[in-house]
């Protein structure tokens, strides 16, 4: 296990908290966010510290949910050296061995990146917050950054078919957002993009890929629980999830995070 020695003092940074607003993940729930003053330019060491405390980045904003009586937004990360592919992930890996990976700075985004993003949002997220897509929205969300973000691209010959926006950390990378060719359903590009990020972190001899928030009561977020072993930030401590959970267990975990964690979970989740 690596030892990390922070170079910055997080208490010297300025934070704000939002008023309650509709939750993006759970219907009929309100949410609040603590966010860092976006005037700050964040170095890798500071962003890494913040990530270990459960913060995420979106564009120039670094934030963390701070909700009353709900703790369902579980920061999660995959310890890449312990990760084992399940059967469906192995199939996705084999299907995509004809793809080439490339790394570029988000500042070098081109019309190809936006065109792929636009197609993806129109086909996959027409009912979401990012619809309708626009060039300005794309740039504010995925190109502008308060740190040294990069695109992990996947190419089929001369065709760009997947892009993952990532942030470098001192213990791995943070997976910000992935968009891909919506016509390539058979490839399972969302799965393969995460597997390539895991491979990339291992190549860097680092420890983790941070997958953002896993929300047990949000079905669209539960794919993250399939990358095991998984570590979740629960009540201020990173805990090890020993195996994938079934649907009933996931729902029960979500219920518990609206109150307190039952003692019986200690057999499944360990520090």
């Amino acid at each position: 296990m690596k030892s990390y020695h922070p170079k910055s003092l997080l208490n010297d940074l300025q934070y704000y908290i939002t008023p309650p607003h509709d939750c993006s993940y759970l219907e009929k729930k309100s949410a609040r966010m603590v966010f860092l003053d976006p005037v700050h330019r964040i170095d890798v060491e500071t962003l890494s510290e913040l990530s270990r405390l459960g913060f995420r980045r979106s564009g120039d904003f670094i934030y963390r949910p701070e909700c009353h009586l709900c703790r369902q937004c579980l920061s999660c990360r995959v310890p890449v050296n312990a990760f084992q592919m399940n059967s469906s992930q192995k199939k996705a890996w084999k299907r995509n061995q004809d793809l080439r990976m490339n790394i570029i700075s988000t500042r070098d985004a081109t019309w190809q990146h936006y065109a792929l993003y636009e197609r993806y949002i129109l086909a996959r997220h027409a009912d979401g917050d990012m619809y309708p897509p626009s060039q300005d929205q794309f740039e504010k969300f995925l190109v502008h950054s308060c740190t040294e973000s990069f695109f992990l691209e996947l190419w089929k010959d001369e065709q760009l078919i997947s892009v993952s926006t990532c942030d470098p950390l001192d213990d791995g990378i943070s997976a910000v957002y992935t968009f891909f060719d919506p016509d390539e359903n058979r490839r399972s590009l969302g799965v393969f993009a995460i597997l390539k990020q895991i491979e990339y972190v291992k190549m860097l001899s680092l420890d983790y890929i941070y997958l953002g928030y896993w929300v047990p009561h949000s079905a669209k977020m539960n794919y993250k629980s399939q990358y095991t072993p998984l570590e979740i930030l629960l009540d201020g401590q990173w805990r090890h999830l020993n195996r994938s959970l079934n649907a009933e267990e996931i729902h029960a975990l979500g219920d518990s995070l609206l109150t307190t964690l039952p003692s019986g979970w200690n057999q499944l989740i360990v520090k």
Side-chain angles (χ1 to χ4, degrees):
M1 179 65 68
K2 292 182 174 64
S3 176
Y4 302 104
H5 302 284
K7 295 183 179 180
S8 65
L9 295 175
L10 298 186
N11 289 338
D12 291 339
L13 302 175
Q14 183 70 47
Y15 302 88
Y16 298 92
I17 189 163
T18 68
H21 56 275
D22 289 342
C23 179
S24 299
Y25 304 118
L26 302 176
E27 292 184 3
K28 300 180 181 179
K29 294 288 186 180
S30 63
R32 295 191 310 170
M33 298 291 175
V34 171
F35 66 95
L36 186 68
D37 188 338
V39 74
H40 292 296
R41 181 74 182 179
I42 300 300
D43 59 20
V44 169
E45 290 78 12
T46 303
L47 183 60
S48 301
E49 294 174 63
L50 289 165
S51 296
R52 288 189 282 274
L53 292 173
F55 282 82
R56 289 284 288 167
R57 184 186 67 80
S58 177
D60 286 327
F61 293 93
I62 296 175
Y63 65 94
R64 183 179 69 185
E66 193 72 29
C67 302
H68 183 56
L69 296 180
C70 181
R71 298 161 15 253
Q72 282 211 50
C73 288
L74 299 172
S75 290
C76 63
R77 65 188 186 185
V78 179
V80 298
N81 292 308
F83 170 71
Q84 296 288 330
M85 293 187 201
N86 60 30
S87 59
S88 63
Q89 291 161 353
K90 289 178 180 178
K91 291 175 182 177
W93 181 265
K94 291 178 181 179
R95 285 191 206 106
N96 290 286
Q97 291 306 297
D98 58 332
L99 301 184
R100 169 176 56 88
M101 185 181 79
N102 186 52
I103 304 291
I104 68 165
S105 169
T106 59
R107 294 190 299 269
D108 296 326
T110 69
W111 65 269
Q112 287 178 292
H113 297 94
Y114 175 69
L116 183 60
Y117 172 80
E118 182 180 57
R119 289 180 57 217
Y120 174 77
I121 296 298
L122 291 174
R124 294 295 187 96
H125 295 288
D127 59 346
D129 296 339
M130 292 176 289
Y131 181 87
S134 69
Q135 183 80 41
D136 180 66
Q137 172 211 60
F138 169 72
E139 291 179 359
K140 288 179 179 177
F141 178 36
L142 297 176
V143 176
H144 297 171
S145 175
C146 55
T147 189
E148 299 300 320
S149 304
F150 62 91
F151 286 147
L152 187 151
E153 304 172 332
L154 297 174
W155 293 79
K156 175 67 171 74
D157 301 323
E158 299 305 311
Q159 180 185 0
L160 180 66
I161 68 170
S162 177
V163 178
S164 298
T165 307
C166 305
D167 293 337
L169 305 176
D170 61 14
D171 59 353
I173 65 172
S174 176
V176 177
Y177 193 75
T178 293
F179 54 97
F180 50 82
D181 189 334
D183 295 331
E184 294 281 357
N185 289 324
R186 184 180 174 277
R187 286 184 176 272
S188 302
L189 286 170
V191 174
F192 186 65
I194 293 177
L195 298 178
K196 290 299 287 185
Q197 290 170 72
I198 290 172
E199 180 189 58
Y200 181 66
V201 172
K202 293 176 72 172
M203 184 179 69
L204 297 175
S205 298
L206 295 174
D207 293 331
Y208 299 107
I209 171 174
Y210 288 73
L211 292 180
Y213 299 119
W214 172 36
V215 184
H217 278 181
S218 175
K220 66 182 180 181
M221 305 294 284
N222 281 332
Y223 72 90
K224 297 179 182 182
S225 67
Q226 298 304 305
Y227 295 85
T228 56
L230 188 71
E231 294 185 6
I232 56 176
L233 186 61
L234 187 58
D235 297 335
Q237 294 181 312
W238 284 101
R239 307 195 186 199
H240 197 85
L241 193 62
N242 293 328
R243 59 171 174 81
S244 297
L245 307 183
N246 61 40
E248 183 178 346
E249 289 172 325
I250 289 173
H251 188 76
L253 175 60
D255 286 345
S256 74
L257 294 170
L258 296 174
T259 53
T260 58
L261 190 70
S263 59
W265 284 88
N266 290 333
Q267 297 176 1
L268 179 62
I269 301 173
V270 297
K271 297 180 183 178

